[in-house]
């Protein structure tokens, strides 16, 4: 069974997450199929790509596949992690990627959605940033994605509470582009995709890359980067990280000691 469905029509591509049994968790296997899908879209000269889950999905994506997170004192979200590859593929894709979202978006899937260029959500969409629930040290690029997508007050609330934020508040706070009724979600999203697909793909491609370079142009000294990496190592070497992962796998609430 394909974990990602591929479709393209009139230069508008669609990649559909299709692993309901695991709530579209971003496993290495599913991400590999997404990366393949983006490569096929690039070859097919798609002008817009819609990233979505199946119509009946209650969960858009449960985020990183927790079963694939290392607990042996290794960075769980390093450069070569599947989630990192996926976020960069979206950011580097030469045309706009629209996240069409309804249902729950969890953890790293929140970063994936917010790394998309546009987000159109239905009323049942929720967004939860969950590292604190698992004891995970989120990575630098991911935190930049969140900071570039939402007011710092909202970012802090989301990362500290790990609680879902609803679509209505997400739109009100400017974290998503549009909140539309469920029955209009597809027509609205593909209507916007149609408008974009008729504009100059070259101009759009250049402006997307300009915006990527400019939003990433936050000076950080090597000392600052090393400081952050040292802090992250304290977390992924911690008992709390091991407890967060164990609790998830044992389907019980975690009991963090703070060490
Ligand atoms: C592996 C899963 C997952 C999953 N991985 O269905 O952002 S960070 O730093 O935290 C980053 C590291 C990250 O993204 O971590 C993952 C964060 N995700 C979450 O915390 C969400 C975890 N999942 C859930 O809370 C529930 O599964 C939701 C609310 C998404 C759906 O609940 P529902 O009752 O509909 P189940 O929980 O029964 O899940 C169905 C199957 O999918 C597996 C889960 O273990 C179960 O498998 P089994 O049937 O084999 O027990 N599953 C769900 N999420 N992220 N596996």
């Amino acid at each position: 069974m394909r974990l990602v469905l591929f479709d393209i029509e009139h230069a508008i591509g669609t990649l559909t997450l299709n692993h309901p049994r695991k709530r579209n968790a971003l496993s290495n296997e599913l991400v590999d199929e997404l990366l393949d899908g983006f490569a096929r879209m690039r070859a097919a000269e798609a002008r817009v790509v819609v990233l979505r889950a199946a119509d009946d999905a209650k969960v858009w994506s449960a985020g990183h596949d927790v079963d694939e997170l290392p607990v042996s004192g290794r960075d769980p979200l390093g450069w070569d992690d599947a989630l990192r590859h996926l976020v960069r593929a979206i950011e580097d894709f030469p045309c706009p990627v629209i996240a069409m979202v309804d249902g729950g978006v969890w953890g790293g899937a929140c970063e994936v959605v917010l790394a998309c260029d546009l987000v159109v959500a239905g009323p049942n969409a929720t967004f939860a940033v969950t590292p604190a629930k698992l004891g995970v040290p989120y990575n630098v690029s991911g935190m930049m994605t969140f900071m570039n997508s939402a007011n710092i007050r909202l970012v802090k609330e989301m990362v500290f509470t790990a609680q879902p934020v609803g679509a209505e508040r997400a739109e009100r706070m400017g974290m998503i582009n549009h909140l539309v009724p469920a029955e209009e979600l597809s027509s609205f999203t593909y209507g916007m995709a149609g408008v974009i697909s008729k504009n100059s793909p070259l101009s759009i491609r250049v402006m997307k890359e300009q915006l990527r370079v400019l939003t990433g142009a936050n000076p950080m000294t090597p000392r600052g980067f090393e400081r952050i990496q040292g802090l992250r190592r304290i977390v992924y070497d911690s008992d709390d990280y091991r407890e967060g992962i164990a609790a998830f796998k044992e389907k019980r609430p975690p009991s963090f000691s703070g060490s």
Side-chain angles (χ1 to χ4, degrees), residues 214-229:
L214 291 168
T215 48
N218 289 8
M220 183 195 297
T221 63
R223 182 163 179 245
F225 179 75
E226 286 169 2
R227 163 89 174 130
I228 289 174
Q229 285 303 89

Side-chain angles (χ1 to χ4, degrees), residues 139-232:
N139 71 309
V140 180
S141 302
M143 294 304 268
M144 281 303 297
T145 302
F146 295 133
M147 289 168 67
N148 285 330
S149 304
N151 169 290
I152 190 65
R153 292 270 170 269
L154 179 60
V155 172
K156 286 187 176 183
E157 180 182 329
M158 293 181 81
V159 299
F160 296 160
T161 67
Q163 290 301 302
V165 166
E168 189 276 330
R169 183 161 181 229
E171 186 197 40
R172 178 158 40 86
M173 298 288 285
M175 191 171 83
I176 63 175
N177 294 81
H178 295 279
L179 165 57
V180 299
E183 63 275 12
E184 296 171 19
L185 180 58
S186 181
S187 56
F188 184 94
T189 303
Y190 284 90
M192 183 186 282
V195 169
I196 294 171
S197 70
K198 295 180 179 63
N199 288 336
S200 159
L202 191 56
S203 168
I204 290 173
R205 183 172 76 195
V206 166
M207 288 190 286
K208 174 173 174 175
E209 179 64 2
Q210 280 175 315
L211 290 168
R212 185 191 69 77
V213 172
L214 291 168
T215 48
N218 289 8
M220 183 195 297
T221 63
R223 182 163 179 245
F225 179 75
E226 286 169 2
R227 163 89 174 130
I228 289 174
Q229 285 303 89
L231 290 169
R232 296 187 59 247

Side-chain angles (χ1 to χ4, degrees), residues 21-23 25 59 62-67 69 77 106-109 130-131 133-134 136 138 248 251:
R21 191 191 62 73
K22 215 165 182 181
R23 305 300 185 267
V59 177
H64 201 296
D65 187 326
V66 175
D67 297 328
L69 285 172
L77 296 174
W106 299 83
T130 53
K133 206 169 70 172
L134 281 171
V136 168
Y138 216 74
F248 178 87
K251 299 186 186 294

Side-chain angles (χ1 to χ4, degrees), residues 16-79:
T16 304
L17 306 177
N18 185 45
H19 196 193
R21 191 191 62 73
K22 215 165 182 181
R23 305 300 185 267
N24 294 331
L26 300 174
S27 62
N28 292 326
E29 188 183 4
L30 185 143
V31 170
D32 282 347
E33 287 195 28
L34 275 172
L35 296 176
D36 177 60
F38 277 113
R40 291 173 61 193
M41 290 294 176
R42 190 187 285 251
E45 296 184 342
R47 292 188 173 186
V48 192
V49 172
V50 175
L51 180 60
R52 55 168 298 171
D55 278 334
D56 56 353
K58 295 277 183 294
V59 177
W60 194 86
S61 171
H64 201 296
D65 187 326
V66 175
D67 297 328
E68 295 179 357
L69 285 172
V71 288
S72 52
R74 277 184 34 239
D75 186 342
L77 296 174
W79 176 262

